[in-house]
Amino acid sequence: MNNAYQIVVCGGIVPDPLQTLEPVTGPAGPALKNEMMLPAVLDPWASHALYEAAHLARQAPGTKVFLVSLAPKAKLQQVLMTVGQKAPFELVALDGPAGGFTEPFETAAALADAIRAIPGLDPARLLVFGGWESACRGAGATLQMLGERLGIVDQFQGVDELQLGADGAFTILERIDGGKHQVSLCAGPPAVLGWATGNLPEPKNNPQVGMANMRAIMPALQKAKPAPLPAEGVVFASVTLPKQQRATRIVKDQSPETIAAEIVSWIRQ
Amino acid sequence: METILLLVSTETDGSLAVPAFEAAGAAASLAAALPGSQFLAGLVGATVQPGADQIAACGASRFLAVSGPDFESSRYVSDAAAAEALTREARATIVVAPATSRWNRCLPGVAQRVNGRVDTHVTGVSVTGGGIGVSRWYYRQRMEAVLQRATRPWFLLTDPGSQPPWQGTPGTATVHPLTVTLPPGGARTRVTGVKEPAADAQTIRPDAGLLFVAGAGWTKKQADGQTHVPEAEQLIREFLKLTRASLGSSKSLVDLGGEGQAVLSFLTHLNQVGQTGSTPRHPKGLSTCCHGEEPHTVGWRFIGERRAISLDPNCGWARGKADVLYVTDAFAVLRHANALLQKTNTFGLLVSPR
Ligand SMILES: Cc1cc2nc3c(=O)[nH]c(=O)nc-3n(C[C@H](O)[C@H](O)[C@H](O)COP(=O)(O)OP(=O)(O)OC[C@H]3O[C@@H](n4cnc5c(N)ncnc54)[C@H](O)[C@@H]3O)c2cc1C
């Protein structure tokens, strides 16, 4: 039985979550203030997808992992300096905007073209991975659209676990409403899996993996096709920051007993 | 002129759950605000008549359905086929569905099939000057946008808890069934069950009046130079039992488990609130031993009243993120609070549900 997969992990880049974000209106619609200056990271849930792909590749010899990323290529290069040390992969880069105000429909179209163009890709062994929601758009829509474009109708979202069975079938755990997991049995590839956190810790940086990856990353970045994503048909009427500040009352010199009583009475109100 | 399709799935007994009524409310309001629009309802499930009857009076002029055993479980291949058939039959230009895990999974793919567009996690739908505006959050609840679209069909998934539910008397709906067949060879995916903690160990309670958040401080060395994880676990468990609060956690606390450190045994990633966790909706939230950093507090966007207990007077909560910050030892407060709750908790449930 052929147990080797071709795992394509789709992941964009997002501003580091510790950064303060402020919306501005640019010529092409809303954007972030100083967007190009903000330090970026690989989208967190897509990172988990990458770690899970590397883990599955170790279990299924012959498996190949690709990272397909649509982002401004100069920023992507910076992010890959660290991400490249986490897991072995081959990069397919698309040069385009990475922000939250882009259109999943257009992103999916660009990703589908890039995936179809991967030399030697076997659609029957294909697993499309990604994060179940991005940290920018937070829509959870791109992977499904991509799957449709690739003709894949076995799709899972909010995945926390994929177990490989002896017969090549997968047992998949997906997050569902109310803090539960739905368990499904899928006959095998092709499939689309939008990962949530999964179960794996973030791998330590491995400089050897980084060096091996880097040799191919630089040429892949040079070859990156432009993917402009014009967000056709969308008009943003407003983008606003919420009123964040509350007038915090700081209680310092009360006994735990008094505070407990205050909290209990607040809970009961 | 818009044709609005409300898309809902039924529970195993054929009835509708709260998020479906909320989507029905949004669809009905939209239809009312757009004179001349058409309003239809589409149902998917093993059986659908009870659900259709529940919303018989919602204003929909036709009730379409795809039902049968193939459509009982929440699965991409069958749900997408059903939703596609309903969208095409209704000639829908706007599709409104609840943003449940079931519809979130498949509707973006259906939008692709019908060359439409989709907005998930919609928190508001409005009509101004005849145009539809949709509110949703970007960058993990850090900024809110209102957007309009020219492309149709346009799929809107309304976030549970964000819309007032449709309320009305049940009636008898005439349901027009559609026949949908799955791909040749049947489905390659079979839903085999649901994995959830035992009832008494279930700590995530979306309907709870209070969110109780535990941070990494519970596992840190305390004033005596020692950690007190077993006591922390016992105090939190007791508090949850007495208040029926839903348990949230910071990322640091759940991650400690993955690093092999002693953490609270009942915590999983599903409890994590924030940037890479959830954004639950509860009227009140109490944070304990958590620093209130931005990647955590973005998950509090939809928590009404917020209070926090931390030893650090300069933590994030102090900077306008909580209504009240108690600078004190959470162990001591919880000990007293549990005793107080136990003493006076004669009627069981104390925290009023939403
Ligand atoms: C990409 C990325 C994504 C992230 N996503 C998330 C996310 O989704 N959710 C999230 O929570 N974080 C997230 N973070 C992490 C976040 O930045 C913080 O590191 C994390 O929230 C800190 O957790 P904490 O407040 O529990 O722990 P700490 O920062 O260790 O704070 C512990 C607090 O406990 C207090 N304390 C200790 N003992 C006591 C006591 N006896 N009584 C009262 N107080 C006490 C201390 O004073 C301190 O304030 C993310 C970070 C990154 C980089």
Side-chain angles (χ1 to χ4, degrees):
Chain A
M1 191 184 46
N2 178 7
N3 240 352
Y5 306 104
Q6 289 180 323
I7 310 177
V8 173
V9 181
C10 301
I13 61 171
V14 294
D16 183 311
L18 295 167
Q19 295 297 313
T20 304
L21 305 182
E22 200 184 313
V24 290
T25 306
L32 297 180
K33 190 171 174 186
N34 298 330
E35 190 156 338
M36 291 307 285
M37 313 288 283
L38 292 170
V41 295
L42 188 67
D43 209 327
W45 273 314
S47 307
H48 288 290
L50 180 63
Y51 312 151
E52 295 284 345
H55 179 70
L56 183 56
R58 283 194 292 275
Q59 293 174 60
T63 292
K64 201 153 182 203
V65 177
F66 300 87
L67 175 66
V68 180
S69 193
L70 194 170
K73 72 176 173 186
K75 286 221 81 95
L76 182 59
Q77 183 178 340
Q78 288 167 10
V79 170
L80 289 173
M81 300 302 267
T82 10
V83 175
Q85 299 190 46
K86 301 283 182 195
F89 58 80
E90 195 173 300
L91 176 72
V92 178
L94 290 162
D95 189 16
F101 305 105
T102 50
E103 245 324 280
F105 185 86
E106 294 170 0
T107 308
L111 294 177
D113 288 345
I115 293 171
R116 281 197 215 97
I118 294 176
L121 192 82
D122 177 2
R125 303 301 304 166
L126 178 61
L127 294 175
V128 177
F129 279 20
W132 71 319
E133 281 181 7
S134 70
C136 50
R137 224 162 24 222
T142 310
L143 285 179
Q144 294 92 320
M145 293 181 148
L146 172 60
E148 285 291 326
R149 284 181 182 266
L150 299 172
I152 305 175
V153 292
D154 289 285
Q155 299 203 14
F156 306 87
Q157 293 297 329
V159 176
D160 270 331
E161 195 173 311
L162 178 153
Q163 267 174 32
L164 185 55
D167 57 354
F170 302 130
T171 302
I172 293 166
L173 258 61
E174 279 172 289
R175 292 186 182 185
I176 56 169
D177 314 306
K180 298 172 191 169
H181 282 111
Q182 174 166 293
V183 188
S184 301
L185 199 64
C186 174
V192 171
L193 287 92
W195 283 89
T197 309
N199 291 308
L200 304 173
E202 182 175 337
K204 298 232 161 16
N205 287 351
N206 181 336
Q208 262 170 327
V209 171
M211 296 226 291
N213 276 340
M214 266 307 164
R215 274 196 285 274
I217 284 174
M218 293 316 289
L221 283 167
Q222 272 152 18
K223 276 195 294 193
K225 287 217 175 89
L229 310 185
E232 262 168 37
V234 191
V235 175
F236 283 88
S238 65
V239 182
T240 47
L241 289 175
K243 211 179 123 275
Q244 288 200 332
Q245 291 297 105
R246 295 179 180 225
T248 310
R249 172 165 68 93
I250 300 179
V251 179
K252 269 191 189 155
D253 305 317
Q254 300 273 3
S255 72
E257 203 166 359
T258 313
I259 291 172
E262 186 174 312
I263 288 173
V264 168
S265 103
W266 168 66
I267 293 172
R268 286 176 171 168
Q269 272 163 25
Chain B
M1 209 151 46
E2 305 284 5
T3 300
I4 300 158
L5 173 68
L6 164 70
L7 206 50
V8 289
S9 62
T10 57
E11 305 299 296
T12 36
D13 64 355
S15 69
L16 299 178
V18 176
F21 285 95
E22 294 171 358
S29 308
L30 194 55
L34 292 168
S37 60
Q38 292 212 56
F39 177 23
L40 293 85
L43 295 99
V44 179
T47 53
V48 294
Q49 190 65 50
D53 289 346
Q54 282 178 291
I55 52 166
C58 72
S61 58
R62 259 184 110 198
F63 288 79
L64 308 169
V66 176
S67 62
D70 274 346
F71 301 94
E72 174 166 5
S73 43
S74 160
R75 174 180 57 178
Y76 187 90
V77 66
S78 38
D79 287 338
E84 180 189 359
L86 291 164
T87 305
R88 291 192 192 279
E89 175 67 20
R91 295 175 195 280
T93 58
I94 303 282
V95 178
V96 180
T100 54
S101 56
R102 183 167 190 171
W103 290 123
N104 281 343
R105 184 195 297 112
C106 76
L107 286 187
V110 179
Q112 173 70 49
R113 283 187 196 179
V114 299
N115 204 22
R117 299 292 186 273
V118 64
D119 283 298
T120 57
H121 298 300
V122 166
T123 51
V125 184
S126 58
V127 175
T128 38
I132 302 169
V134 153
S135 314
R136 68 183 301 283
W137 289 80
Y138 287 79
Y139 291 96
R140 303 292 300 158
Q141 286 66 249
R142 291 168 84 175
M143 55 192 80
E144 190 182 23
V146 179
L147 65 130
Q148 297 164 341
R149 286 182 184 273
T151 313
R152 301 287 185 272
W154 185 9
F155 290 72
L156 309 177
L157 288 119
T158 54
D159 254 359
S162 70
Q163 307 295 311
W166 177 80
Q167 286 174 324
T169 4
T172 308
T174 307
V175 177
H176 302 276
L178 306 187
T179 307
V180 172
T181 43
L182 294 184
R188 296 172 63 252
T189 294
R190 198 160 44 85
V191 175
T192 57
V194 167
K195 199 176 153 196
E196 58 182 314
D200 58 345
Q202 175 60 281
T203 56
I204 297 173
R205 303 186 176 114
D207 295 327
L210 178 72
L211 172 74
F212 175 88
V213 161
W218 284 106
T219 62
K220 300 268 160 82
K221 281 186 183 155
Q222 297 299 314
D224 60 359
Q226 307 290 317
T227 62
H228 297 271
V229 179
E231 190 195 355
E233 173 147 359
Q234 182 266 324
L235 284 171
I236 294 170
R237 259 184 209 280
E238 188 67 13
F239 184 82
L240 294 176
K241 199 172 92 189
L242 289 164
T243 59
R244 307 293 298 162
S246 189
L247 176 65
S249 165
S250 71
K251 181 174 188 291
S252 297
L253 186 58
V254 270
D255 281 356
L256 287 174
E259 291 158 15
Q261 282 194 42
V263 282
L264 312 171
S265 60
F266 45 84
L267 269 185
T268 73
H269 276 292
L270 296 182
N271 294 100
Q272 186 186 318
V273 170
Q275 171 91 18
T276 43
S278 63
T279 312
R281 284 174 188 269
H282 298 278
K284 292 175 190 169
L286 178 63
S287 154
T288 55
C289 298
C290 163
H291 205 70
E293 283 190 29
E294 183 72 2
H296 174 73
T297 54
V298 292
W300 283 62
R301 179 68 64 220
F302 305 124
I303 303 297
E305 297 172 35
R306 306 175 185 176
R307 298 195 178 194
I309 309 171
S310 173
L311 287 173
D312 187 345
N314 298 315
C315 67
W317 300 109
R319 281 174 261 128
K321 292 186 173 166
D323 302 307
V324 185
L325 169 66
Y326 300 102
V327 182
T328 187
D329 173 20
F331 281 81
V333 173
L334 241 66
R335 255 178 244 130
H336 286 293
N338 285 347
L340 204 59
L341 287 162
Q342 230 152 16
K343 209 159 46 181
T344 50
N345 182 13
T346 42
F347 302 104
L349 210 141
L350 277 167
V351 183
S352 54
R354 276 192 297 168

